Amino acid sequence: MSERLIDLEETATQTGPKGVINDWRRFKLESMDQENLNPAKRELLRQMSSPSKVKDTSRGNLNRKMSVQEYELLKEEDEGCLKSYRKRCMQEMHDKLSFGPRFEGVYDLDNGEAFLEVIEKEHHSTVVVVHIYKNGIKGCEALNSCLDCLATEYPTVKFCKIDAVASGAAERFSDEYLPTLLVYKAGELLGNFLSCTQHLNEEFFATDVEGFLNSYGLLPEKEQPQMEDDEENNIE
């Protein structure tokens, strides 16, 4: 195993202009091929990435501007390295700002007990959207397809569906009130939309359902798509 070049306490991402420069310098050092790197360049990168380790520990040295020699070195292969650095910073920021679990697809609820559990026991920050449907009722199948699409675009929202009969509340959710959308957060009912397709066009799509829910402020901000790995891998 290769020797660690930077102490653990120094690897944390820094903030502020000077901190960002030093963090970038460390990333540059770690991302370069150490074995095939010219010894002089390796030493220069080491000093750049850890200014507190060099012999001159004066305040002027620690806060110094980037030298011409450093600039020329950093220019080498910077396009690909900058993309990787930016992706790492964005991922760190996303991890800090993301709270609660993430989900994949629409969850089938088998019975009323599962319905109550997802409402009462889900993470307090999670928005839960439940579609109560019945096979053969107009709009139910189309709404299920729309939720499949929305589930991929809103991974922090838990989308669920349950057959009205399986829910144990078939009398309450009779055919005339289907499809129904219920929206919960922290066990609290935020939206109760009986026969919700009456608010949509006869032919509707995922964007229409998304717009309808957003009109009530029920969906979180949509996540920005991450940079394609393949695009970065093409940068040499």
Side-chain angles (χ1 to χ4, degrees):
M1 182 179 296
S2 61
E3 180 180 357
R4 295 185 62 184
L5 299 173
I6 304 171
D7 292 336
L8 180 61
E9 64 270 16
E10 294 179 340
T11 60
T13 302
Q14 303 296 312
T15 58
K18 296 173 184 176
V20 170
I21 290 175
N22 286 334
D23 190 50
W24 157 248
R25 288 167 170 169
R26 293 189 186 98
F27 183 83
K28 182 75 175 179
L29 174 62
E30 294 168 355
S31 63
M32 296 186 75
D33 186 350
Q34 296 294 319
E35 293 183 358
N36 298 323
L37 191 63
N38 181 286
K41 288 187 177 182
R42 186 189 305 121
E43 175 60 20
L44 176 59
L45 275 173
R46 186 192 66 78
Q47 294 180 16
M48 289 163 54
S49 66
S50 186
S52 61
K53 295 294 184 181
V54 297
K55 294 181 179 180
D56 183 2
T57 58
S58 66
R59 183 179 182 85
N61 180 66
L62 295 179
N63 295 331
R64 63 186 168 80
K65 295 181 179 179
M66 189 180 297
S67 68
V68 174
Q69 187 180 14
E70 290 176 353
Y71 177 74
E72 291 298 325
L73 179 58
L74 290 178
K75 283 202 308 182
E76 299 177 10
E77 303 179 355
D78 263 1
E79 185 175 2
C81 196
L82 275 172
K83 284 182 178 291
S84 298
Y85 178 70
R86 181 172 59 182
K87 181 179 180 181
R88 191 198 72 173
C89 292
M90 291 297 292
Q91 186 61 48
E92 289 177 354
M93 182 181 298
H94 179 273
D95 292 341
K96 291 179 181 179
L97 297 178
S98 296
F99 302 95
R102 299 169 69 84
F103 308 95
E104 295 182 359
V106 178
Y107 292 76
D108 277 300
L109 306 179
D110 297 328
N111 49 52
E113 185 176 336
F115 175 63
L116 292 176
E117 183 174 351
V118 76
I119 294 171
E120 297 174 353
K121 296 185 178 181
E122 195 51 69
H123 192 277
H124 64 85
S125 68
T126 298
V127 173
V128 179
V129 178
V130 181
H131 173 209
I132 301 178
Y133 71 97
K134 183 184 289 186
N135 291 329
I137 299 297
K138 184 178 180 180
C140 287
E141 183 178 355
L143 187 55
N144 277 334
S145 297
C146 290
L147 296 186
D148 285 334
C149 295
L150 293 181
T152 64
E153 298 186 14
Y154 293 89
T156 61
V157 176
K158 187 165 189 175
F159 291 92
C160 306
K161 61 182 180 180
I162 184 170
D163 184 275
V165 176
S167 70
E171 294 182 359
R172 179 183 176 187
F173 298 108
S174 57
D175 293 358
E176 61 182 309
Y177 297 124
L178 300 179
T180 287
L181 277 180
L182 304 177
V183 184
Y184 296 87
K185 186 176 182 181
E188 179 182 357
L189 180 64
L190 302 181
N192 182 11
F193 306 106
L194 304 176
S195 188
C196 62
T197 51
Q198 67 179 329
H199 303 290
L200 305 170
N201 295 325
E202 184 172 353
E203 185 178 11
F204 60 90
F205 304 94
T207 52
D208 300 310
V209 179
E210 177 184 29
F212 173 71
L213 293 174
N214 274 330
S215 68
Y216 290 91
L218 296 174
L219 293 178
E221 184 176 351
K222 186 183 295 186
E223 296 184 356
Q224 295 297 322
Q226 292 187 353
M227 186 183 305
E228 292 290 339
D229 289 339
D230 292 341
E231 178 184 347
E232 293 188 14
N233 291 336
N234 289 332
I235 305 291
E236 296 184 358

